[in-house]
Amino acid sequence: MRKFNRVLVISFFIFFGCDTSEKLTRSDLNDHWEFTQDGKDTWRKATVPGVVHTDLMANNMIPHPWIGTNELKVLWVENENWIYRKSFTLQKAELDRDAIDLVFEGLDTYADVTLNGKLILSADNMFRRWRTNVKDLLKAGENELQVKFSSPLKVNLPRLDTLGYELPAPNETVERKVSPFTRKAPYHFGWDWGLRLVTSGIWRPVYLESYDVARIENVQLAQKSLSDRVAKLEAVISIDAASASVIDLLVMDIKVQAKVTKGINEVIVPLEIVNPKRWWSNGWGEQNMYEIPVTLTQEGIHLDEEVAKIGLRTVELIQEADSIGESFYFIINGQPLFARGANYIPQSHFLPSVKDEDYEKLIKDASDIGMNMLRVWGGGIYENDRFYELCDEHGILVWQDFMFACSMYPGDSAFIENVEREVIDNVKRLRNHPSIVLWNGNNEVDVAWNNWGWQKQFKFSAQDSTKIWNDYVYLFRDRIPTLLGQLDDRPYTTTSPLSNWGRPENYNYASMHYWGVWHGPDDFDGYRKNVGRFMSEYGFQSFPSMETIAYFADSSEWRLDSDVMKHHQKSYIGNGMIAEQSRKYFGEATSFEDFVLKSQQTQAKAMQIAIDAHRLKRGHCWGTLFWQLNDCWPGPSWSAVDVFGRKKVLYEELTSLYAPVALIPHWEADQLVISLVNDSLDKIEGTMELTLLDTSGEETNLSLPVSSDKNSLVEVHRITRSKNFQNGVVKLILDEKISVIRTF
């Protein structure tokens, strides 16, 4: 039984009066929508949550953009405005509440919402939640709700004209780029692994919330201190009151009363958890979670309730100057962590189509192969609650980017205020999740501005360059961290990476995106030579399985120079790079099917070299997050799992590459070195079994005991290479069972 103790008596006010309060109720408004193109009067069935492209497909108005070159046939959709509407009926008794709010969990993106003919809100941010009181506009009987979505291009092209210069956004293939102005998933405008699909729609649920007196707006469980004896918390409860009143709160077994005024009120309730059980990352222990029920009442009448959850753990990000540069690593519950994982992107352009079971499979599989961290990349979305719940349950740490990637952004007051509200919304929604260990400002904006030649490419004047950079500094080094200081206590970094791969000395400093292989001149040996302090991006492309290729391309298109195959390759060097490296490592392909297999084997080879190199420099390097875990459409990309969940060769290899305890064979000149890496918190005692095969077919077998301390790297064997040596197998035996097998 978990014991909660009150540590502070909260003063309260007492007021009694006539009350007819009822519990908060939620009325789903997701059904029976219809839509039309603005300027037309033909209404068709729509699905909510959804986006216009899936509605158009369901009504046979456009082909599926993933197939063939159909992307080109649906580009017109982004230039149009779209209108959604529905009717719903209310009884007179339903209107007899103190407050009735209309809530949109997500509107993509520019949307004017009218209720019974009156404009009630204008949305301009896909990442925000929209709530407005509509009690006075509702009526008994039929009510009409309408949402008009304006094309992001139509909204923002005039802003581009007014600005006077173009803001860099290399992900957009069109000439005039509006994504920097649009608080919408950047990858919707195109990327080098995905199509351009600028969606619109009610992409998250919509509902009416009716309540009397007050409702719970948010519950923050702020961990103030943690020891093995006691955890001290503050339950910071935001209450939205319909009018001034006195309400009763029950937080676990602690009862308090508070006088509230109309609007948002904050009540702080101190808590203690005696002998707390900690939340641990994957492989280090149990993912213990505590449920903290919060109940809102008045005179014994139930008004609202929420069950908040917390996992108790400590997080530190160590960025300290040392003898060679600056460190970058996480300490979880007092233990330095070597991060093993990947970068995560949205699982589809059609975001409402991603189901709970898709999240569940992806996160469970990541946990099962030994991952302990995912980076939610800044060109996608702040993910659904279920994603973070699953990371909590499986011990997957989350590096959370804010949604900015590879672009410069405007600095006008309206844009900054919009971003501030976005940050507040999402941090409040996500901050109770123990899995989140880092907020990161953006993806590659700093290194892009300083290394990609944008000033020359876009012919910025000195004055324009200064303005653009100052806007960047203000947003990411001032406003966002200032807000985080008020909302949460997790570490924050302004950008990823903090160090660019172009100079040798930079591998001694902080986080690194290493693209010397692929975007640079390096071959795979570059992964061994160029290891940063924390490798938060690197990768190599491959093709998806033939089954996936058959989905989007007819067999007549199964060649690299076909229109469909070229269209699905979004990297400017993709097919050539894959062909060159696969030929080098696995020989000339005998067929297209053989090329596809070799592409996956080549990707796996590249990532094996990289991951081994990172783990073998443990102490210098403290993390390896390859690009990328998953896909958003079918095509060649850097992913380990394609959009249909089909696993590539790389994914199958990750079980051994990311094993928390593993033997890593590697060459140092003419010597074969076997190292034992132990990322666990246990001392390891086991057996190494080594088999060497020479060109004559003769085997040499060796068995010897191996051991290591927790969180360590140790060399366990070294052999001078024989001239006839061909290949080998090394096995790690733990508890009389084969733990990891590596071939070389």
Side-chain angles (χ1 to χ4, degrees), residues 282-571:
N282 185 30
W284 275 10
E286 298 298 319
Q287 288 73 53
N288 298 296
M289 297 287 290
Y290 288 86
E291 294 187 347
I292 312 294
V294 178
T295 306
L296 190 64
T297 63
Q298 187 179 67
E299 299 181 39
I301 297 174
H302 194 121
L303 301 177
D304 196 6
E305 62 186 1
E306 181 173 328
V307 178
K309 295 181 180 180
I310 187 172
L312 303 173
R313 53 66 182 138
T314 60
V315 176
E316 300 171 75
L317 174 60
I318 307 302
Q319 296 176 274
E320 294 178 345
D322 54 26
S323 60
I324 61 169
E326 184 178 289
S327 65
F328 190 104
Y329 64 97
F330 295 90
I331 294 180
I332 308 297
N333 288 328
Q335 302 292 332
L337 174 118
F338 190 95
R340 306 181 307 273
N343 287 260
Y344 169 92
I345 67 169
Q347 295 181 52
S348 176
H349 279 77
F350 312 125
L351 289 163
S353 70
V354 183
K355 307 303 181 187
D356 282 356
E357 51 265 35
D358 299 319
Y359 288 111
E360 289 160 5
K361 179 171 176 49
L362 195 66
I363 301 303
K364 184 181 185 302
D365 285 351
S367 173
D368 288 346
I369 63 172
M371 290 190 182
N372 59 18
M373 182 176 285
L374 291 175
R375 174 181 174 226
V376 178
W377 169 73
I381 62 169
Y382 307 94
E383 266 298 345
N384 286 349
D385 292 343
R386 188 59 184 145
F387 173 89
Y388 301 98
E389 291 167 359
L390 287 162
C391 289
D392 292 345
E393 293 169 15
H394 290 280
I396 302 295
L397 304 173
V398 175
W399 166 321
Q400 177 67 55
D401 282 7
F402 289 101
M403 292 303 117
F404 303 88
C406 301
S407 299
M408 302 307 290
Y409 295 90
D412 59 277
S413 59
F415 183 85
I416 297 298
E417 181 182 358
N418 197 358
V419 171
E420 289 176 345
R421 292 177 181 271
E422 170 188 322
V423 170
I424 292 168
D425 275 6
N426 287 284
V427 173
K428 282 186 173 183
R429 177 171 68 93
L430 301 176
R431 62 189 172 185
N432 285 342
H433 290 284
S435 55
I436 299 177
V437 294
L438 178 69
W439 303 110
N440 178 62
N442 65 70
N443 175 77
E444 296 186 345
V445 179
D446 196 306
V447 294
W449 181 256
N450 289 297
N451 297 278
W452 293 4
W454 280 348
Q455 294 88 337
K456 182 178 180 179
Q457 177 186 349
F458 292 95
K459 300 178 182 179
F460 292 135
S461 67
Q463 182 179 359
D464 289 342
S465 291
T466 299
K467 173 68 165 61
I468 293 169
W469 179 246
N470 286 344
D471 288 344
Y472 170 86
V473 169
Y474 179 67
L475 180 58
F476 295 106
R477 300 184 185 180
D478 184 345
R479 293 311 305 140
I480 291 178
T482 297
L483 284 172
L484 285 174
Q486 301 164 5
L487 297 167
D488 193 42
D489 61 357
R490 285 174 180 81
Y492 170 75
T493 50
T494 58
T495 187
S496 182
L498 291 166
S499 190
N500 188 50
W501 59 268
R503 297 174 182 171
E505 63 270 20
N506 287 357
Y507 296 96
N508 294 327
Y509 289 86
S511 57
M512 169 69 65
H513 293 188
Y514 173 61
W515 288 105
V517 176
W518 193 271
H519 292 298
D522 301 343
D523 60 19
F524 288 0
D525 196 49
Y527 288 125
R528 297 188 179 98
K529 296 177 180 177
N530 301 305
V531 179
R533 308 304 294 269
F534 193 106
M535 304 297 285
S536 46
E537 268 194 35
Y538 60 92
F540 196 85
Q541 270 199 5
S542 68
F543 274 66
S545 69
M546 286 304 305
E547 189 176 0
T548 295
I549 291 171
Y551 167 82
F552 68 80
D554 182 80
S555 59
S556 64
E557 300 279 349
W558 291 359
R559 61 184 195 279
L560 290 183
D561 63 350
S562 75
D563 290 342
V564 171
M565 219 57 64
K566 287 190 294 185
H567 185 79
H568 278 249
Q569 174 55 269
K570 297 300 185 179
S571 172

Side-chain angles (χ1 to χ4, degrees), residues 11 96 168 177 260 284 290 303 313 317 369 391 467 498 546 576 588 594 596 601 610 631 637 705-706 735:
S11 60
D96 192 22
K177 308 176 193 306
V260 295
W284 275 10
Y290 288 86
L303 301 177
R313 53 66 182 138
L317 174 60
I369 63 172
C391 289
K467 173 68 165 61
L498 291 166
M546 286 304 305
E588 196 72 46
D594 187 46
V596 167
Q601 293 171 329
D631 259 331
S637 81
V706 294
D735 297 326

Side-chain angles (χ1 to χ4, degrees), residues 114-372:
T114 58
L115 177 62
N116 294 329
K118 183 174 178 59
L119 179 68
I120 57 172
L121 71 88
S122 293
D124 59 358
N125 191 319
M126 175 182 180
F127 306 123
R128 286 173 57 184
R129 185 190 202 195
W130 301 91
R131 174 186 289 270
T132 184
N133 192 307
V134 294
K135 175 180 169 62
D136 292 341
L137 292 177
L138 293 169
K139 58 187 179 181
E142 188 174 274
N143 293 266
E144 175 83 11
L145 181 60
Q146 180 172 289
V147 184
K148 179 179 180 180
F149 292 97
S150 296
S151 161
L153 283 77
K154 290 182 177 179
V155 171
N156 285 312
L157 283 174
R159 298 182 65 189
L160 178 59
D161 293 335
T162 301
L163 190 63
Y165 51 78
E166 183 179 345
L167 289 170
N171 59 300
E172 286 201 72
T173 55
V174 298
E175 182 177 349
R176 307 188 70 204
K177 308 176 193 306
V178 301
S179 60
F181 300 94
T182 314
R183 293 313 301 146
K184 172 178 174 60
Y187 81 109
H188 282 172
F189 294 90
W191 221 270
D192 58 0
W193 37 256
L195 76 172
R196 180 182 175 98
L197 206 66
V198 183
T199 57
S200 294
I202 305 169
W203 75 287
R204 281 178 170 163
V206 54
Y207 49 86
L208 287 174
E209 233 175 37
S210 305
Y211 60 96
D212 291 323
V213 184
R215 67 177 184 88
I216 298 170
E217 164 68 17
N218 182 261
V219 178
Q220 178 189 12
L221 298 177
Q223 179 182 295
K224 310 308 289 185
S225 65
L226 176 63
S227 70
D228 292 340
R229 187 184 65 83
V230 65
K232 294 186 178 182
L233 313 176
E234 284 184 350
V236 183
I237 303 157
S238 297
I239 298 169
D240 186 2
S243 59
S245 185
V246 173
I247 51 90
D248 303 312
L249 274 170
L250 179 64
V251 184
M252 292 302 295
D253 60 350
I254 299 176
K255 298 178 180 179
V256 299
Q257 287 186 317
K259 185 176 182 179
V260 295
T261 59
K262 184 177 181 179
I264 301 296
N265 302 259
E266 195 171 88
V267 178
I268 299 175
V269 181
L271 303 170
E272 282 191 0
I273 302 177
V274 177
N275 300 323
K277 294 181 178 180
R278 294 182 186 237
W279 182 94
W280 291 94
S281 59
N282 185 30
W284 275 10
E286 298 298 319
Q287 288 73 53
N288 298 296
M289 297 287 290
Y290 288 86
E291 294 187 347
I292 312 294
V294 178
T295 306
L296 190 64
T297 63
Q298 187 179 67
E299 299 181 39
I301 297 174
H302 194 121
L303 301 177
D304 196 6
E305 62 186 1
E306 181 173 328
V307 178
K309 295 181 180 180
I310 187 172
L312 303 173
R313 53 66 182 138
T314 60
V315 176
E316 300 171 75
L317 174 60
I318 307 302
Q319 296 176 274
E320 294 178 345
D322 54 26
S323 60
I324 61 169
E326 184 178 289
S327 65
F328 190 104
Y329 64 97
F330 295 90
I331 294 180
I332 308 297
N333 288 328
Q335 302 292 332
L337 174 118
F338 190 95
R340 306 181 307 273
N343 287 260
Y344 169 92
I345 67 169
Q347 295 181 52
S348 176
H349 279 77
F350 312 125
L351 289 163
S353 70
V354 183
K355 307 303 181 187
D356 282 356
E357 51 265 35
D358 299 319
Y359 288 111
E360 289 160 5
K361 179 171 176 49
L362 195 66
I363 301 303
K364 184 181 185 302
D365 285 351
S367 173
D368 288 346
I369 63 172
M371 290 190 182
N372 59 18

Side-chain angles (χ1 to χ4, degrees), residues 667-684:
W667 290 99
E668 293 182 5
D670 65 342
Q671 291 190 315
L672 174 66
V673 181
I674 312 293
S675 296
L676 175 61
V677 61
N678 179 8
D679 291 344
S680 79
L681 298 183
D682 299 314
K683 183 176 181 179
I684 296 299

